[in-house]
């Protein structure tokens, strides 16, 4: 078994360097945790994983975290010795009752400088103050990540790497800007893949009673150039994507109570993943209701029914 941190060279991630040196107590704890995770995940990781981790801790941690989560849930992963050597494959492959579930992971960054970038707030003690949550920018970064991986999965299908009957999932981590993104009333991924805009409530001024609540329709995400559609999961062009895993989990906050793992089913998927597959904390299923669509967290419904 190799040492995850036994990597040297140029362009090493500063976070990797700090974790490798492990001078603080927190870094020592994280170092030990990551090495333990690596011992479980190494048989399934690409040969260049350690080099990639040393230069992109957040991105490769998300992949390894998913792999370990699936293994802990009793899922079987395709070992690296049985993976295709030439041309590449998705990051993870789950072997599940005679079928394969392919997972392509990505951790988008904050984006290029400009009005569409997710900008970190200036601390108050450094002259900062109140600022608007960069929701639009986070949606743009998430949409871009989805598009990038959807194109890659399309190529894998064309090349025969992924079989037509295989399930294919995109796993998006917003850990790099997750602190600015709320989970409620809906996770960011729902307002990225579906035309769901800002939440609203209507209150009776006389009685103070709640009359109505919901979301404004919003088919586009505005950006500096032309706006982009937020209708991927209502678009047949993306029917080859079975669903999306989404989470804000990061090395800085591993609490799944605060940062749950969410799975969003594609209602148009050619090869859907069965519901209640048993690995997620939230699971959204969208169904047609007349000329509209209704989305529900089926795990929350089940928990409420049991309460």
């Amino acid at each position: 078994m190799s040492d995850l941190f036994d990597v040297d060279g140029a362009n090493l991630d500063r976070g990797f360097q700090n974790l490798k040196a492990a001078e603080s107590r927190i870094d020592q704890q994280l170092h030990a945790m990551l090495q333990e995770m690596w011992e479980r995940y190494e048989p399934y990781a690409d040969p260049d994983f350690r080099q990639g981790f040393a230069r992109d801790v957040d991105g490769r941690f998300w992949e390894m975290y998913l792999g370990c989560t699936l293994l802990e849930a009793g899922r079987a992963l395709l070992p690296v010795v049985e993976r295709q050597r030439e041309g590449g494959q998705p990051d993870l492959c789950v072997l599940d009752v005679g079928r394969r579930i392919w997972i392509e992971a990505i951790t988008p960054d904050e984006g290029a400088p400009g009005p569409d970038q997710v900008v970190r707030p200036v601390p108050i003690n450094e002259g900062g103050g109140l600022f608007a949550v960069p929701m639009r920018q986070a949606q743009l970064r998430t949409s871009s990540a989805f598009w990038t991986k959807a194109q890659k999965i399309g190529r894998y299908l064309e090349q025969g790497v992924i079989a037509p009957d295989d399930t294919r999932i995109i796993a998006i981590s917003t850990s790099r800007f997750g602190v600015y993104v709320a989970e409620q009333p809906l996770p960011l991924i729902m307002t990225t893949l579906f035309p769901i805009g800002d939440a609203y409530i209507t209150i009776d001024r006389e009685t103070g009673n709640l009359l109505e609540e919901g979301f404004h329709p919003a088919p586009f995400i505005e950006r500096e150039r032309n706006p982009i559609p937020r209708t991927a999961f209502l678009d047949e062009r993306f029917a080859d994507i079975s669903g999306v895993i989404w989470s804000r989990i990061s090395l800085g906050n591993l609490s799944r109570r605060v940062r749950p793992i969410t799975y969003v089913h594609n209602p148009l998927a050619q090869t859907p993943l069965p519901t209640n597959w048993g690995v997620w904390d939230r699971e959204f299923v969208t169904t047609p209701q007349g000329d509209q669509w209704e989305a529900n967290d089926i795990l929350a419904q089940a928990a409420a029914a049991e309460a």
Side-chain angles (χ1 to χ4, degrees):
M1 200 64 63
S2 63
D3 184 342
L4 178 62
F5 296 94
D6 186 17
V7 178
D8 296 303
N11 304 316
L12 297 181
D13 188 301
R14 178 170 294 184
F16 174 81
Q17 293 174 329
N18 291 337
L19 289 166
K20 181 177 181 178
E23 295 179 352
S24 71
R25 188 166 67 90
I26 296 237
D27 282 343
Q28 290 167 8
Q29 292 172 344
L30 288 173
H31 181 112
M33 180 196 76
L34 288 165
Q35 182 60 34
E36 182 181 341
M37 290 176 68
W38 173 239
E39 290 172 2
R40 281 178 283 158
Y41 184 60
E42 185 178 9
Y44 312 99
D46 289 335
D48 65 349
F49 182 92
R50 290 190 306 136
Q51 292 291 334
F53 180 81
R55 290 163 177 82
D56 180 14
V57 170
D58 291 331
R60 291 307 181 104
F61 168 73
W62 172 234
E63 175 191 330
M64 181 164 67
Y65 180 85
L66 281 175
C68 290
T69 298
L70 289 162
L71 290 169
E72 288 168 5
R75 305 301 180 186
L77 299 183
L78 182 68
V80 66
V81 294
E82 298 179 26
R83 289 170 68 89
Q84 178 175 303
R85 294 291 181 174
E86 302 295 330
Q89 286 182 321
D91 299 307
L92 296 163
C93 181
V94 184
L95 305 176
D96 184 64
V97 194
R99 68 175 169 198
R100 294 189 172 193
I101 301 170
W102 297 96
I103 302 174
E104 185 70 16
I106 186 171
T107 304
D109 60 20
E110 293 91 343
D116 295 335
Q117 182 185 31
V118 179
V119 178
R120 297 175 183 271
V122 178
I124 291 177
N125 61 356
E126 296 178 13
L130 296 176
F131 70 101
V133 174
M135 187 67 69
R136 179 185 65 83
Q137 292 87 344
Q139 290 167 340
L140 286 172
R141 298 306 303 145
T142 305
S143 179
S144 175
F146 172 83
W147 171 263
T148 297
K149 291 304 185 178
Q151 300 305 299
K152 194 166 186 179
I153 286 176
R155 290 194 293 272
Y156 284 140
L157 283 165
E158 292 174 357
Q159 296 163 0
V161 174
I162 297 177
D165 293 336
D166 291 347
T167 303
R168 43 267 191 185
I169 296 170
I170 297 172
I172 303 174
S173 164
T174 55
S175 61
R176 289 189 169 112
F177 46 84
V179 68
Y180 317 125
V181 177
E183 296 280 352
Q184 300 293 344
L186 282 175
L188 178 81
I189 190 63
M190 288 295 291
T191 61
T192 301
L193 298 175
F194 294 96
I196 302 171
D198 294 333
Y200 72 86
I201 59 172
T202 304
I203 297 176
D204 188 313
R205 291 185 178 182
E206 299 294 331
T207 64
N209 293 333
L210 176 65
L211 300 177
E212 184 183 16
E213 61 181 327
F215 297 88
H216 292 291
F220 296 97
I221 306 173
E222 297 296 328
R223 62 174 177 172
E224 185 179 19
R225 293 172 292 164
N226 296 329
I228 63 171
R230 64 167 114 210
T231 54
F233 273 7
L234 302 181
D235 189 333
E236 290 284 357
R237 292 178 299 171
F238 296 101
D240 55 357
I241 307 301
S242 305
V244 169
I245 302 168
W246 180 84
S247 182
R248 301 182 300 133
I249 282 283
S250 70
L251 276 172
N253 192 332
L254 291 164
S255 170
R256 285 178 59 173
R257 181 183 62 82
V258 177
R259 297 189 173 193
I261 297 177
T262 295
Y263 185 78
V264 180
H265 292 268
N266 183 353
L268 305 180
Q270 298 164 349
T271 55
L273 184 73
T275 56
N276 296 295
W277 197 60
V279 177
W280 337 115
D281 305 300
R282 305 181 76 184
E283 183 172 353
F284 285 87
V285 173
T286 304
T287 53
Q289 299 290 331
D291 60 352
Q292 298 181 335
W293 295 83
E294 180 178 282
N296 290 287
D297 180 354
I298 61 172
L299 299 185
Q301 291 177 330
E306 293 174 1

